[in-house]
């Protein structure tokens, strides 16, 4: 009889103990989801169900949960629902909402010491902006950010830098907070990039129609040019509609390159975006590791995931959002943390908490539970899920997909590279070949006026300038074949371009380097220095260096016989004739000669003068002056006359043949060997650099160019060189000068000079050629080069 009461007491005690332990070990999770995120709830319930079937993690324990839905823009409602969940007794709070309510839940979780796992989501799949949750240095921060920080600024900056974009536009949808890329805008502004922003309204068709109604043709062409490089920061649905509208309205052409960046783009979205787009498309999205072994795709360690989530062919898995994946991994992480607490026998029972009472005390086991969650880590659908010291998940990977240029819709997409915050970009981002179709493209062309390559015809008042010339003919031929239009302008400094002291370029090349023009065309030669900063097509014409010289003047001068002697010398000769004639008269007057019988000559002053002049020009006969003094003087005078006449004859012959001196320079070698005629070229031009390299480079040194460089480089190039080619031509025409420049240009100048005052000599060796310069990495280079083969 005494045994039965004892057994009854033991039975009651065991029953109470079991119920107490069972009650203490109940795992209850609270969840708050945005009322528009029904799929978050489905994935959450699926995760709980999968873990309740896994006896290796929680063994005999089961997870219970309470789920509530709130308006994401109503923080007060979110706090009320969270308080209700805490009253029910929860070990952790899981929330999948936007930034508006996240801060309020963070403050509540900190006050009540409830571990809060926050999964940030954005409206309708729009790219995220950082929530800016305040993190304190104290140990009272109970909110853990499950999704990694927003790295869109870093990814976009790296991709844009790799593509060497200098001018582009950013389109963003109405749901996106543009402050999310403020850091990116600040950095590109510091680097001198030209960035425009445009918000895309929900009614895209109306927005496009407004553009056509409000913009003039010139403005619309400039807008089309801006659209050649664009970044789309919008949800996939808006991106699809936007691309469709701009393609159908011919706002973009096949040379455009657009970047779409959004973590939420899935494979179906990628295929649809590629199908609707033209030109080149680059897609940046978040990616997660997938086991290579298909049989292991649904296993993460000792846990089996539902096939509806891990099978990429399953319709449910194909339409999952990133927040859904993180919700599943969050539940898996909590389950492992609970297992750790049970295994270490450090379980803290949780009493119901009230948020209303002023004297409410926080959960005593909150800190221990939070530390267990932070120290844990799992491998799930999103890869490794773990937390750093700041309470954030550092593991994130971005995948960069892209297409090449092409006119065919539905092109294939391939992986270009990947990016993560630790190693940065891994991959090569380069443009591929553009197909032979540029309909609707408007190119901005920079040029330098240089006859006969680029000239301006007579401008009719009120009409734009009309350009013509050999290079313009080449450009027109390309335009007619490929279908593009162009706007042309002259380089502001009228120079081809050369590197400056700070490493930048001026002139035509500088316009291309700074992305202010798409192509540059003129008498532009292909040089190694220029090829370092811009791209060139294949040569469309050979190039050689020539020399422009002035022809000797051929004029009829009735006083040309006086040219051998200076006027002062002629005056001296005339004076000498008068003086000698006077002396002869005086000598004959003082000592009259004895004249022969029958002589009629008298010794007058007139006869003496005539006698001296006749003997000077070697005319007249013997005059009967027989005195010794007269004969001695006349002998000296005849010797003087002989010397003067001989000198005159020689100078006259040289003067009459001086017009043939031009034939002495027939090549660059002849020019380099003489020093009578100074010569030079345009300072800092391609010819100037060519002569310098040939004359100074020890690997290419040439004696002819060395001699030329000594002449050209006098006074550091300032003595014999000019700033523009027209100045060199004028210097040849009105002075003693030879101008070294492009042979084709000089030949045109010599042929079309109205005074026919020039002649040219050239170099028969063509060691380089003329080409069209393009921006570095331009997609037009191969297209233009291929067309040149047809033109030739």
């Amino acid at each position: 009889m005494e045994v039965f009461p004892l057994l009854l007491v033991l039975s009651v005690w065991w029953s109470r103990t079991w119920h107490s332990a069972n009650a203490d070990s109940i795992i209850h999770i609270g969840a708050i989801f945005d009322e528009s995120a029904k799929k978050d709830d489905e994935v959450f319930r699926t995760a709980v169900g999968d873990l309740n079937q896994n006896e290796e993690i929680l063994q005999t324990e089961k997870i219970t949960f309470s789920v509530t839905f709130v308006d994401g823009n109503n923080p007060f409602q979110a706090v009320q629902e969270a308080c209700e969940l805490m009253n029910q007794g929860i070990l952790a709070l899981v929330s999948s909402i936007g930034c508006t309510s996240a801060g309020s839940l963070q403050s509540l979780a900190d006050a009540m010491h409830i571990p809060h796992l926050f999964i940030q989501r954005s409206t309708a799949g729009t790219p995220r902006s950082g929530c800016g949750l305040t993190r304190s240095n104290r140990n009272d921060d109970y909110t853990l950010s499950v999704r990694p920080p927003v790295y869109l600024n870093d990814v976009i900056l790296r991709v844009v830098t790799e593509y060497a974009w200098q001018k582009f536009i950013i389109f963003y949808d109405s749901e996106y907070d543009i402050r999310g890329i403020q850091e990116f805008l600040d950095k590109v502004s510091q680097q001198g990039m030209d960035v425009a922003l445009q918000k895309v309204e929900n009614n895209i068709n109306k927005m496009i129609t407004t553009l056509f109604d409000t913009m003039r043709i010139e403005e619309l062409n400039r807008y089309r040019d801006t659209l050649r490089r664009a970044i789309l920061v919008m949800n996939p649905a808006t991106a699809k509609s936007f691309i469709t509208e701009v393609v159908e309205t011919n706002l973009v052409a096949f040379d455009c390159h657009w970047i779409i960046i959004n973590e939420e783009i899935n494979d179906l979205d990628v295929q649809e975006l590629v199908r609707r787009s033209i030109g080149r498309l680059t897609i940046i999205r978040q990616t997660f590791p997938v086991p290579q072994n298909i049989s292991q795709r649904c296993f993460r360690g000792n846990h089996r995931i539902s096939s509806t989530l891990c099978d990429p062919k399953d319709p449910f898995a194909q339409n999952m959002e990133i927040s859904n994946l993180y919700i599943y991994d969050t539940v898996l992480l909590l389950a492992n943390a609970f297992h750790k607490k049970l295994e270490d026998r450090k379980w803290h029972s949780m009493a119901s908490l009230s948020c209303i009472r002023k004297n409410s005390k926080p959960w005593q086991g909150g800190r221990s539970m939070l530390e267990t969650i932070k120290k844990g880590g799992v491998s799930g659908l999103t890869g490794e899920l773990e937390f750093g010291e700041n309470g954030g998940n550092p593991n994130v990977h971005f995948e960069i997909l892209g297409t090449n240029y092409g006119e065919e819709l539905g092109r294939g997409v391939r992986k270009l590279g990947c990016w993560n915050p630790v190693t940065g970009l891994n991959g090569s981002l380069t443009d591929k070949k553009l197909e032979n179709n540029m309909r609707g493209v408007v190119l901005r062309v920079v040029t330098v006026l240089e006859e006969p390559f680029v000239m301006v015809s007579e401008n009719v008042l009120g009409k734009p300038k009309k350009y013509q010339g050999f290079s313009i003919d080449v450009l027109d031929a390309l335009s007619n074949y490929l279908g593009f239009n162009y706007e042309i302008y002259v380089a502001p400094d009228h120079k081809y371009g050369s590197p400056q002291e700070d490493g930048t370029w001026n002139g035509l090349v500088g316009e291309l380097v700074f992305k202010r023009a798409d192509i540059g065309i003129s008498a532009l030669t292909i040089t190694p220095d220029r090829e370092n900063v811009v791209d060139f097509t294949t040569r469309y014409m050979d190039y050689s260096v020539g020399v422009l010289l002035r022809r000797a003047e051929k004029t009829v001068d009735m006083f040309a016989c006086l040219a051998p002697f200076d006027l002062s010398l002629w005056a001296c000769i005339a004076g000498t004739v008068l003086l000698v004639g006077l002396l002869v008269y005086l000598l004959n007057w003082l000592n009259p000669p004895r004249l022969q019988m029958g002589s009629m000559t008298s010794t007058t002053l007139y006869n003496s003068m005539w006698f001296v002049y006749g003997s000077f020009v070697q005319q007249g006969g013997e005059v009967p002056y027989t005195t010794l003094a007269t004969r001695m003087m006349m002998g000296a005078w005849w010797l003087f006359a002989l010397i003067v006449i001989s000198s005159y004859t020689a100078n006259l012959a040289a003067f009459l043949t001086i017009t043939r001196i031009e034939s002495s320079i027939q090549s660059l070698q002849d020019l380099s060997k003489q020093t009578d005629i100074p010569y030079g070229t345009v300072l800092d031009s391609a010819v100037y650099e060519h002569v310098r390299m040939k004359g100074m480079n020890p690997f290419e040194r040439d004696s002819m160019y060395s001699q030329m460089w000594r002449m050209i480089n006098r006074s550091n190039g300032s003595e014999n060189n000019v700033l523009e080619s027209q100045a060199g031509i004028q210097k040849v025409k009105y002075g003693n000068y030879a101008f070294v420049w492009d042979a084709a240009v000089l030949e045109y100048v010599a042929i079309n000079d109205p005074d026919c005052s020039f002649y040219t000599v050239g170099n028969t060796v063509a060691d380089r050629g003329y080409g069209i310069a393009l921006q570095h990495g331009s997609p037009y280079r191969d297209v233009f080069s291929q067309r040149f083969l047809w033109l030739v």
Side-chain angles (χ1 to χ4, degrees):
M1 295 294 298
E2 296 178 359
V3 175
F4 181 78
L6 180 60
L7 293 175
L8 181 61
V9 172
L10 291 173
S11 176
V12 172
W13 174 83
W14 176 257
S15 176
R16 289 181 178 178
T17 304
W18 185 88
H19 281 292
S20 177
N22 191 44
D24 289 345
S25 64
I26 290 178
I27 302 172
H28 193 66
I29 304 174
I32 297 179
F33 299 135
D34 192 289
E35 59 187 6
S36 63
K38 300 300 182 182
K39 188 169 287 188
D40 285 350
D41 178 52
E42 295 181 42
V43 175
F44 180 79
R45 295 176 184 273
T46 301
V48 172
D50 290 347
L51 289 164
N52 282 337
Q53 295 177 7
N54 190 339
E55 297 181 356
E56 294 187 9
I57 297 180
L58 295 178
Q59 298 176 357
T60 60
E61 303 297 336
K62 302 296 180 182
I63 299 177
T64 60
F65 59 88
S66 298
V67 177
T68 183
F69 296 92
V70 299
D71 180 1
N73 296 320
N74 190 341
F76 180 73
Q77 181 189 6
V79 171
Q80 279 187 319
E81 297 295 341
C83 286
E84 183 64 29
L85 292 175
M86 292 179 186
N87 289 335
Q88 299 176 19
I90 57 175
L91 299 177
L93 176 64
V94 178
S95 68
S96 175
I97 54 178
C99 295
T100 305
S101 301
S104 300
L105 291 181
Q106 180 190 21
S107 300
L108 178 62
D110 292 346
M112 306 307 294
H113 289 191
I114 298 295
H116 172 213
L117 286 85
F118 167 57
I119 298 107
Q120 181 187 354
R121 64 174 295 108
S122 54
T123 306
T126 298
R128 294 187 300 150
S129 295
C131 283
L133 298 179
T134 56
R135 298 285 180 185
S136 63
N137 295 325
R138 298 173 296 174
N139 294 325
D140 57 355
D141 193 352
Y142 282 80
T143 296
L144 303 176
S145 297
V146 177
R147 293 191 70 170
V150 181
Y151 284 102
L152 297 187
N153 289 304
D154 302 277
V155 181
I156 299 176
L157 181 62
R158 182 58 192 275
V159 172
V160 169
T161 303
E162 285 292 314
Y163 282 135
W165 285 11
Q166 291 294 325
K167 180 180 180 181
F168 53 91
I169 185 171
I170 298 178
F171 293 101
Y172 62 98
D173 61 29
S174 56
E175 300 294 336
Y176 182 70
D177 185 358
I178 194 61
R179 293 174 296 180
I181 58 172
Q182 186 60 49
E183 180 183 354
F184 167 75
L185 296 176
D186 292 341
K187 289 183 178 179
V188 298
S189 177
Q190 294 173 3
Q191 297 180 14
M193 299 182 187
D194 185 3
V195 184
L197 294 173
Q198 183 166 345
K199 185 177 181 180
V200 177
E201 304 294 342
N202 293 330
N203 192 340
I204 299 175
N205 183 271
K206 181 179 178 181
M207 185 189 79
I208 301 298
T209 304
T210 304
L211 291 176
F212 281 94
D213 293 339
T214 57
M215 285 186 175
R216 295 177 298 177
I217 298 297
E218 297 81 2
E219 295 174 337
L220 199 59
N221 288 335
R222 286 194 293 270
Y223 186 71
R224 283 193 178 99
D225 182 67
T226 304
L227 292 182
R228 291 177 52 238
R229 300 289 181 266
I231 298 176
L232 306 187
V233 186
M234 55 184 66
N235 67 72
T238 305
K240 295 173 191 175
S241 302
F242 182 70
I243 290 177
T244 301
E245 287 292 335
V246 295
V247 170
E248 291 181 352
T249 54
N250 198 29
L251 275 178
V252 293
F254 296 112
D255 72 322
C256 72
H257 185 179
W258 284 14
I259 298 175
I260 302 178
I261 182 165
N262 193 330
E263 299 166 317
E264 301 283 350
I265 299 178
N266 57 36
D267 292 341
L268 295 178
D269 293 331
V270 170
Q271 295 175 6
E272 189 66 18
L273 288 169
V274 172
R275 188 186 67 81
R276 299 186 183 201
S277 67
I278 59 176
R280 185 176 184 189
L281 193 66
T282 298
I283 300 173
I284 304 173
R285 65 176 182 177
Q286 190 175 351
T287 185
F288 305 103
V290 178
Q292 297 295 329
N293 190 345
I294 298 178
S295 62
Q296 297 296 321
R297 285 183 177 177
C298 294
F299 288 91
R300 297 295 187 274
N302 58 354
H303 177 64
R304 178 179 177 84
I305 303 175
S306 175
S307 61
T308 57
L309 303 179
C310 62
D311 186 1
K313 296 182 180 180
D314 190 281
F316 187 86
Q318 291 178 350
N319 294 315
M320 277 204 309
E321 299 176 1
I322 290 181
S323 61
N324 306 150
L325 303 177
Y326 279 111
I327 285 175
Y328 191 99
D329 289 353
T330 300
V331 177
L332 178 60
L333 178 69
L334 287 174
N336 280 273
F338 297 150
H339 170 73
K340 183 67 174 176
K341 297 288 289 184
L342 291 171
E343 187 179 47
D344 294 345
R345 300 182 182 274
K346 295 181 180 180
W347 194 268
H348 293 270
S349 61
M350 178 178 176
S352 298
L353 302 176
S354 175
C355 303
I356 301 176
R357 298 176 185 175
K358 293 183 179 180
N359 58 350
S360 296
K361 294 183 180 181
W363 180 31
Q364 297 299 319
R367 171 54 55 183
S368 176
M369 181 63 72
L370 179 67
E371 293 299 328
T372 304
I373 295 174
K374 289 179 67 175
K375 292 179 181 179
V378 295
S379 177
L381 293 173
T382 60
E384 296 296 328
L385 175 57
E386 56 187 358
F387 298 102
E389 293 296 329
N390 62 350
N393 177 15
N395 299 317
V396 63
H397 297 272
F398 285 90
E399 183 181 43
I400 304 174
L401 307 174
T403 64
N404 58 357
Y405 288 102
E407 58 182 277
E408 297 295 331
L409 299 178
R411 294 153 295 145
V413 62
R414 63 188 182 90
K415 184 175 180 180
L416 303 178
C418 57
W419 184 94
N420 65 72
V422 178
T423 61
L425 178 66
N426 182 17
S428 176
L429 304 182
T430 56
D431 282 345
K432 297 298 180 181
K433 181 181 177 181
L434 179 68
E435 299 297 331
N436 295 339
N437 196 325
M438 295 171 61
R439 295 189 304 270
V441 178
V442 180
L443 299 180
R444 189 161 173 78
V445 181
V446 61
T447 188
V448 173
L449 298 180
E450 188 77 80
E451 298 178 347
F453 291 86
V454 180
M455 300 173 287
V456 179
S457 60
E458 294 184 3
N459 185 24
V460 180
L461 185 62
K463 293 185 178 181
K465 294 180 179 179
K466 185 177 180 181
Y467 293 87
Q468 61 185 10
F470 182 75
S471 295
I472 302 300
D473 292 341
V474 173
L475 186 61
D476 287 337
L478 291 173
S479 175
N480 294 333
Y481 177 76
L482 299 174
F484 66 86
N485 297 318
Y486 63 87
E487 299 173 352
I488 190 169
Y489 71 100
V490 179
D493 56 2
H494 304 280
K495 295 182 178 180
Y496 288 98
S498 60
Q500 306 301 296
E501 293 181 357
D502 58 356
T504 61
W505 283 71
N506 62 358
L508 180 151
V509 177
E511 295 295 299
L512 296 172
V513 172
F514 289 106
K515 310 297 181 181
R516 292 189 285 264
D518 299 304
I519 63 176
I521 191 168
S522 184
L524 187 65
T525 55
I526 304 172
T527 65
D529 289 340
R530 291 170 178 171
E531 286 185 306
N532 289 333
V533 293
V534 296
D535 288 345
F536 278 96
T537 61
T538 57
R539 64 173 67 182
Y540 60 84
M541 180 178 175
D542 288 335
Y543 161 87
S544 62
V545 176
V547 184
L548 183 69
L549 297 124
R550 181 171 60 91
R551 295 181 185 275
E553 297 181 0
K554 296 181 180 180
T555 58
V556 178
D557 189 359
M558 60 184 302
F559 299 103
C561 61
L562 302 177
F565 287 165
D566 189 68
L567 182 61
S568 60
L569 181 59
W570 284 116
C572 292
I573 294 174
T576 304
V577 171
L578 295 176
L579 179 61
V580 173
L582 180 60
L583 291 176
V584 170
Y585 169 75
L586 292 176
L587 290 175
N588 284 288
W589 179 72
L590 295 175
N591 188 14
R594 294 187 297 271
L595 299 178
Q596 297 179 357
M597 295 297 294
S599 175
M600 300 299 296
T601 304
S602 63
T603 57
T604 63
L605 178 62
Y606 171 79
N607 288 336
S608 299
M609 293 292 182
W610 185 253
F611 169 70
V612 172
Y613 173 74
S615 61
F616 177 78
V617 296
Q618 300 179 358
Q619 298 294 326
E622 175 69 21
V623 178
Y625 292 145
T626 58
T627 64
L628 179 62
T630 303
R631 291 180 181 272
M632 291 178 62
M633 174 171 285
M634 291 307 300
W637 171 248
W638 289 338
L639 180 61
F640 169 76
L642 176 64
I643 296 174
V644 171
I645 294 300
S646 300
S647 300
Y648 173 81
T649 304
N651 289 339
L652 180 62
F655 176 78
L656 294 177
T657 59
I658 194 172
T659 56
R660 287 175 289 176
I661 193 172
E662 64 185 38
S663 61
S664 63
I665 300 178
Q666 296 295 330
S667 65
L668 288 179
Q669 288 83 355
D670 296 337
L671 181 70
S672 64
K673 293 177 181 178
Q674 61 84 42
T675 56
D676 296 332
I677 301 178
Y679 52 89
T681 184
V682 176
L683 193 65
D684 293 332
S685 65
V687 177
Y688 182 88
E689 291 298 321
H690 177 68
V691 175
R692 185 181 67 84
M693 288 297 297
K694 290 285 188 179
M696 297 293 294
N697 192 335
F699 300 103
E700 300 183 18
R701 182 170 296 175
D702 184 278
S703 59
M704 180 190 73
Y705 284 103
S706 297
Q707 293 175 350
M708 291 181 64
W709 177 245
R710 282 193 290 271
M711 173 68 75
I712 289 177
N713 195 44
R714 285 184 180 179
S715 302
N716 292 327
S718 60
E719 179 178 341
N720 292 328
N721 297 299
V722 294
L723 298 179
E724 295 182 359
S725 59
Q726 288 298 322
I729 295 171
Q730 294 300 315
K731 194 172 181 180
V732 173
K733 190 168 187 177
Y734 298 107
N736 184 35
Y737 183 74
F739 183 48
V740 182
W741 196 236
D742 295 1
V745 175
L746 299 181
E747 289 175 3
Y748 178 83
V749 170
I751 293 174
N752 292 273
D753 181 58
D755 300 328
C756 295
S757 57
F758 300 120
Y759 76 99
T760 63
V761 296
N763 185 9
T764 58
V765 180
D767 55 354
R768 62 179 69 178
Y770 299 97
I772 295 179
L774 307 98
Q775 294 180 9
H776 186 67
S778 173
Y780 313 125
R781 182 184 63 179
D782 294 337
V783 181
F784 289 175
S785 297
Q786 183 180 10
R787 182 55 184 165
F788 284 155
L789 299 177
W790 291 86
L791 292 176
V792 174

